[in-house]
Amino acid sequence: QSALTQPASVSGSPGQSITISCTGTSSDIGIYNYVSWYQQHPGKAPKLMIYDVSNRPSGVSNRFSGSKSGNTASLIISGLQAEDEADYYCTSYRTGSTVVFGGGTELTVL
Amino acid sequence: QLQLQESGPGLVKPSETLSLTCTVSGGSISSDSYYWGWIRQPPGKGLEWIGSIYYSGSTYYNPSLRSRVTISVDTSKNQFSLDLSSVTAADTAVYYCARHVMLRGVFDWFDPWGQGTLVTVSS
């Protein structure tokens, strides 16, 4: 099954805001609000950052936010910090009781 | 605090079966609304959902792996397991287990995750 589409890389300077997009189809992001985002530092397990499109788990900085429009979900990181440099993955429920991940986006803090 | 820990061989020969176990601590695997999932990540690549299981034994698998995957659960040991048959080098990956939330009959987020275990397929 095809993955969700994310940009391979994005970058930003400290203090700036960046957006990572995640494009799916009318079988996943387009009709379900079950989109989540994960942060992964090198050699570490992924960490949940956003669930159900725009909800933050307890303990996650409010600099992280999420949104959705049509078949595309977005992760927004404001006030970029060096510690935000990591890989980010989106995932969504897809019709047919399956789950699909995005290919991942490498965030570089300049 | 719920914790998950993967265990199993780090090296598997081609054509054999990869077997891993995930031990859940700090909570019961027999919880409503939670499935328990396996996700893998080949070196330098992205994440791929393998499948998820409920404590009753109900399973859902990634269609691309369904023919080779079996996930089982042992509630007495608070563990669930993954078997992946007929492995090739393409199955070399870090394998993660995670709690998989299901709401209103739909899969939702994964949290928390185990630390992951690298399995290499090589003769």
Side-chain angles (χ1 to χ4, degrees):
Chain A
Q1 53 181 357
S2 56
L4 306 174
T5 301
Q6 298 181 232
S9 63
V10 297
S11 62
S13 299
Q16 287 186 331
S17 294
I18 63 96
T19 298
I20 298 173
S21 62
C22 173
T23 301
T25 70
S26 57
S27 295
D28 40 66
I29 294 176
I31 57 171
Y32 297 107
N33 290 324
Y34 299 106
V35 177
S36 50
W37 289 90
Y38 303 85
Q39 176 192 66
Q40 186 180 37
H41 287 109
K44 300 296 186 181
K47 174 188 175 184
L48 177 68
M49 304 301 285
I50 295 287
Y51 67 95
D52 293 351
V53 174
S54 59
N55 293 298
R56 267 189 320 275
S58 174
V60 172
S61 170
N62 59 10
R63 297 185 298 104
F64 291 83
S65 61
S67 66
K68 190 188 88 166
S69 177
N71 293 342
T72 299
S74 298
L75 174 70
I76 304 99
I77 309 175
S78 60
L80 209 56
Q81 299 179 0
E83 67 205 48
D84 300 333
E85 187 163 289
D87 293 330
Y88 291 85
Y89 293 90
C90 61
T91 186
S92 172
Y93 176 80
R94 173 175 284 179
T95 299
S97 298
T98 64
V99 174
V100 284
F101 278 91
T105 298
E106 181 181 23
L107 170 62
T108 300
V109 180
L110 302 171
Chain B
Q1 180 182 355
L2 190 74
Q3 292 185 315
L4 292 86
Q5 177 69 57
E6 306 88 351
S7 59
L11 181 64
V12 180
K13 289 182 168 58
S15 80
E16 295 189 345
T17 296
L18 178 161
S19 295
L20 295 173
T21 295
C22 181
T23 300
V24 179
S25 60
S28 174
I29 202 170
S30 302
S31 300
D32 292 342
S33 298
Y34 295 131
Y35 270 66
W36 303 90
W38 287 99
I39 305 99
R40 70 178 182 178
Q41 184 173 37
K45 297 187 178 181
L47 299 165
E48 179 181 37
W49 173 65
I50 299 170
S52 298
I53 189 166
Y54 196 55
Y55 72 89
S56 65
S58 171
T59 53
Y60 291 91
Y61 298 132
N62 184 324
S64 66
L65 296 169
R66 180 175 290 136
S67 63
R68 298 193 293 129
V69 173
T70 301
I71 298 177
S72 58
V73 64
D74 186 337
T75 55
S76 67
K77 295 182 179 179
N78 230 30
Q79 295 176 334
F80 62 107
S81 299
L82 168 69
D83 285 334
L84 181 65
S85 64
S86 305
V87 297
T88 69
D91 295 310
T92 294
V94 175
Y95 286 77
Y96 295 100
C97 59
R99 186 175 65 179
H100 195 182
V101 172
M102 175 177 267
L103 297 176
R104 297 173 288 280
V106 175
F107 283 126
D108 212 325
W109 67 91
F110 296 96
D111 182 64
W113 296 57
Q115 66 183 31
T117 186
L118 174 63
V119 179
T120 302
V121 179
S122 175
S123 55

